[in-house]
Amino acid sequence: MKVVVVGASHGGHEAAHEALTRYPDAQVTVYEAGDFVSFMSCGMELFLEDKVTDRDDVRNFKPADLEKFGGKILTQHEVTGIDTDAKKVTVKNWATGEVLEDSYDKLILSSGVTPATIPVPGADLDNVYLMRGRDWATKIYDKLHDDAVSSVVVVGTGYIGIEAAEVFAKAGKKVTVIDLIDRPLGNYLDAELAEKVRVELEKNGVNLHLGHTVAAFEGDGTLTKVKDDAGQVFDADLAIVAAGVKPNTKYLQGTIDLDQRGWIKTDPYLRTSAKDVYAIGDAILPLFAPAGQPAPIALASTARREARYVIETMTMDKPARSFAGVNGSSALPVFDYNLATTGVNANNAAKMNLEIASSLYEATIRPEFVKEGNPEISVKLIFNPKTHAILGGQVLSKADVTAHANTIALAIKGKMTLEDLAEADFFFQPGYDRQWSVLNLAAQTALGQIPSV
């Protein structure tokens, strides 16, 4: 069996590794358009803050990690077209200019996304940067250590934008964050938790200019100002645009079915419209399990789960099970805070027209007599108001309580209810938790009970 994988990031790596280890006789070739295999963008903040063993170590894997199993990885090789009838791909070798063809029995598309630019005047000025991939990471690292850069404007309050804001604020730069959304991390956190993040950002010198969009980048060849939609102008030696992504699927137009925004259409088995062609990663809309609907979920963990499923089922005419979907679980530190979220929240529920209810539990992590290391914790639970099925959760604390989000994710996976979680058997030790775990207490609160401490 000859397997061709397009793209060498998380999904591509997982697909290649699974194919090589599950099918020892498989011939696996990975085509990667970039020249580096394969930068881990979710490690960008650690990369910028020099918290890594080596800058070249911030990667998913090295070519040798697959080559030892017999795989082949070709960098600077971009797949530019597919002939689904002949089962061939056309590949451009950017190092030599050569164009070649390769055949496949199974083709796995993991070509991912590219950062979205803002279609406003001045977007092409020098020092208007994006924040994804190793090339941009290297450029941003240089600006972080450039004394000539004193004012930075970040466009976007998602994870990437907030990471950029924190890194530059810690470096002593004047940082302004602009976004149309009215609260930081509003796509991930509900209002109560997002408010705590807002206070934390402002306490650390980050100016949040929310409810506005960028109207123009200004400067004579090089950026000097950023203007918003109300005409307000901000000094800027550097702008970092973290305003979303777009699927990298132009090469598939007319060959593979795409939706109106360019996402690859897949069936419940992650098969595309072409036989023996599968799609995984950020360029598809996987099943968002808690909602029972497809949604864009650009996470490394999602891509790897999709890849594992595809390799497991791609030799079956009709797999026994469809892809189970994902919860979209993620986590992020924001200065002294640690947050994690999984499943449905107020923002995505509104977009999907889901009927939800929610409850917020707040207390100290441990019994009140614990003198040190006992910060407050906020736990937000989202649930079905009729069945009490748990649909999502958010946790926030100055302690690292992010693992609680994994427990909530398991509760969603197991179709647990508030009643189940309210009495779930967790350990108690006052150095770690309360007599009832904070998750027990959060569920009891959601049920309208008065929880004991």
Side-chain angles (χ1 to χ4, degrees):
M1 180 170 58
K2 191 171 183 180
V3 180
V4 169
V5 179
V6 180
S9 192
H10 294 280
H13 170 227
E14 186 72 29
H17 180 266
E18 293 279 348
L20 288 164
T21 54
R22 286 177 184 259
Y23 308 105
D25 294 331
Q27 299 178 44
V28 179
T29 302
V30 180
Y31 290 109
E32 167 59 42
D35 61 357
F36 185 83
V37 174
S38 99
F39 184 76
M40 188 180 292
S41 289
C42 47
M44 177 83 76
E45 186 171 0
L46 297 172
F47 175 95
L48 294 174
E49 293 184 337
D50 285 323
K51 294 180 178 179
V52 297
T53 52
D54 186 86
R55 293 170 67 180
D56 284 347
D57 290 343
V58 187
R59 61 200 305 173
N60 302 308
F61 69 104
K62 298 177 182 178
D65 296 336
L66 289 182
E67 290 169 350
K68 68 183 179 183
F69 294 106
K72 183 166 62 173
I73 302 175
L74 299 174
T75 60
Q76 293 185 278
H77 280 67
E78 181 179 5
V79 173
T80 58
I82 304 171
D83 184 335
T84 57
D85 293 326
K87 301 184 78 168
K88 292 182 178 180
V89 293
T90 301
V91 184
K92 175 71 175 288
N93 181 341
W94 287 105
T96 65
E98 177 189 8
V99 175
L100 57 95
E101 284 189 339
D102 194 6
S103 62
Y104 64 85
D105 295 311
K106 305 290 181 180
L107 175 63
I108 300 172
L109 308 177
S110 182
S111 48
V113 294
T114 54
T117 56
I118 303 176
V120 299
D124 58 348
L125 288 173
D126 289 345
N127 291 346
V128 177
Y129 283 11
L130 302 174
M131 190 168 169
R132 191 180 182 95
R134 186 172 182 271
D135 290 345
W136 284 113
T138 302
K139 293 177 181 179
I140 292 170
Y141 181 93
D142 292 341
K143 291 297 182 182
L144 183 66
H145 297 87
D146 186 348
D147 292 338
V149 175
S150 61
S151 297
V152 179
V153 170
V154 177
V155 184
T157 58
Y159 278 9
I160 294 173
I162 295 303
E163 285 181 328
E166 178 172 348
V167 167
F168 278 93
K170 285 180 176 177
K173 315 294 186 181
K174 179 181 178 182
V175 178
T176 298
V177 179
I178 301 175
D179 200 342
L180 181 60
I181 200 167
D182 64 357
R183 60 184 186 270
L185 299 173
N187 288 328
Y188 304 92
L189 297 178
D190 290 357
E192 305 97 327
L193 277 67
E195 174 62 16
K196 294 178 183 292
V197 172
R198 180 193 66 78
V199 172
E200 182 73 3
L201 288 166
E202 292 180 342
K203 184 184 78 174
N204 284 278
V206 177
N207 174 35
L208 295 173
H209 187 65
L210 305 181
H212 293 277
T213 59
V214 171
F217 298 103
E218 299 181 341
D220 184 12
T222 300
L223 178 73
T224 57
K225 308 280 185 182
V226 176
K227 181 188 290 185
D228 78 352
D229 53 357
Q232 187 169 349
V233 176
F234 299 89
D235 291 336
D237 304 304
L238 175 70
I240 296 177
V241 178
V245 296
K246 56 185 179 181
N248 185 23
T249 56
K250 189 175 181 180
Y251 73 105
L252 300 174
Q253 291 176 357
T255 303
I256 301 294
D257 286 351
L258 309 174
D259 74 6
Q260 60 186 5
R261 296 185 60 191
W263 304 102
I264 302 171
K265 291 184 178 181
T266 60
D267 69 7
Y269 308 101
L270 302 183
R271 299 178 299 198
T272 71
S273 57
K275 183 175 174 56
D276 292 322
V277 181
Y278 304 81
I280 60 176
D282 297 353
I284 72 168
L285 302 179
L287 176 65
F288 182 40
Q293 300 179 36
I297 303 176
L299 293 169
S301 52
T302 296
R304 289 192 177 274
R305 283 157 179 77
E306 293 162 350
R308 183 178 178 88
Y309 171 83
V310 163
I311 299 303
E312 177 188 330
T313 61
M314 68 181 181
T315 59
M316 304 175 187
D317 290 334
K318 186 174 182 180
R321 65 180 181 92
S322 60
F323 179 61
V326 293
N327 294 335
S329 306
S330 59
L332 185 74
V334 180
F335 290 102
D336 288 340
Y337 272 113
N338 299 282
L339 65 93
T341 178
T342 186
V344 173
N345 58 45
N347 178 70
N348 57 34
K351 291 179 179 178
M352 296 181 173
N353 296 315
L354 299 177
E355 183 182 3
I356 62 168
S358 65
S359 178
L360 178 66
Y361 173 76
E362 294 185 302
T364 56
I365 293 175
R366 303 175 180 93
E368 293 180 1
F369 67 78
V370 177
K371 182 178 179 181
E372 297 179 355
N374 193 19
E376 294 182 349
I377 182 174
S378 299
V379 181
K380 183 79 178 281
L381 292 179
I382 310 294
F383 54 94
N384 183 307
K386 296 176 181 176
T387 67
H388 291 178
I390 298 169
L391 301 177
Q394 301 151 44
V395 295
L396 178 74
S397 178
K398 291 188 177 180
D400 183 1
V401 295
T402 52
H404 284 314
N406 282 335
T407 303
I408 298 172
L410 281 174
I412 298 170
K413 175 77 171 179
K415 302 186 184 304
M416 290 176 63
T417 64
L418 293 175
E419 288 82 359
D420 295 325
L421 186 58
E423 296 185 359
D425 186 8
F426 300 117
F427 76 85
F428 164 61
Q429 210 289 333
Y432 296 102
D433 208 342
R434 291 172 172 264
Q435 292 94 329
W436 288 103
S437 163
V438 293
L439 294 184
N440 293 137
L441 295 169
Q444 291 169 17
T445 299
L447 290 168
Q449 301 167 359
I450 300 176
S452 61
V453 295

